[in-house]
Amino acid sequence: VKAVEIGEGVSIAAAHGSDVQDEISYDKAAHRFRRFTNRAGGLEGGITNGEDLVIRGYLKPISTLRKPLHTANMVTKEPVEAAYERSDWCVVPAGAVAGEAMVALVLADTFLQKFGGDSLAETRRNFDSYVRQINEF
């Protein structure tokens, strides 16, 4: 993985701040603040904002090719061509599983920091109480 993007981070990195704002509205029926867009990817200042969390990982292409690459012999230091070795032709499926698992672990850890208790029942009670508080705001 060579880059991780939250929301539209990579595509808007060079944009002006005024062009990438997620304006806020209030939905009276749902009793929620909403955003017209989600360029921030659901995360602002390290805090989720209630919108969908959008995370993208960028992987480099696999470097093993059928065409030998130029390298150097470690002993003689002379130029040689690297040996061709068969490898996976696409890392995306495995990378996606690993990326999703890592995000799930981080989210679970954060969830438990906020709502955790000595039992699952206490954690559930803490979470339900928080949801009620948000809905009554």
Side-chain angles (χ1 to χ4, degrees), residues 26-34 134-135:
Y26 185 74
D27 182 345
K28 288 183 182 180
H31 301 281
R32 292 188 63 167
F33 289 97
R34 302 292 305 192
I134 294 297
N135 287 336

Side-chain angles (χ1 to χ4, degrees), residues 54-119:
V54 180
I55 303 171
R56 293 179 192 89
Y58 294 84
L59 296 102
K60 74 174 191 65
I62 293 176
S63 56
T64 303
L65 306 171
R66 285 186 176 254
K67 174 185 166 194
L69 299 175
H70 298 284
T71 187
N73 182 295
M74 295 294 289
V75 176
T76 67
K77 315 229 182 357
E78 295 297 317
V80 294
E81 289 186 343
Y84 166 72
E85 294 180 24
R86 185 171 175 238
S87 69
D88 292 335
W89 56 274
C90 183
V91 73
V92 173
V97 170
E100 286 182 6
M102 225 28 248
V103 170
L105 286 171
V106 170
L107 292 175
D109 182 53
T110 303
F111 180 89
L112 289 174
Q113 286 179 31
K114 173 73 176 167
F115 304 112
D118 294 332
S119 66

Side-chain angles (χ1 to χ4, degrees), residues 4-72:
V4 175
E5 171 183 58
I6 308 293
E8 297 178 18
V10 172
S11 64
I12 62 175
H16 296 283
S18 58
D19 294 331
V20 299
Q21 299 297 322
D22 291 324
E23 295 180 275
I24 300 171
S25 67
Y26 185 74
D27 182 345
K28 288 183 182 180
H31 301 281
R32 292 188 63 167
F33 289 97
R34 302 292 305 192
R35 282 153 177 80
F36 296 112
T37 56
N38 189 21
R39 293 181 189 98
L43 193 70
E44 296 179 70
I47 301 170
T48 56
N49 62 17
E51 299 297 328
D52 290 342
L53 192 56
V54 180
I55 303 171
R56 293 179 192 89
Y58 294 84
L59 296 102
K60 74 174 191 65
I62 293 176
S63 56
T64 303
L65 306 171
R66 285 186 176 254
K67 174 185 166 194
L69 299 175
H70 298 284
T71 187

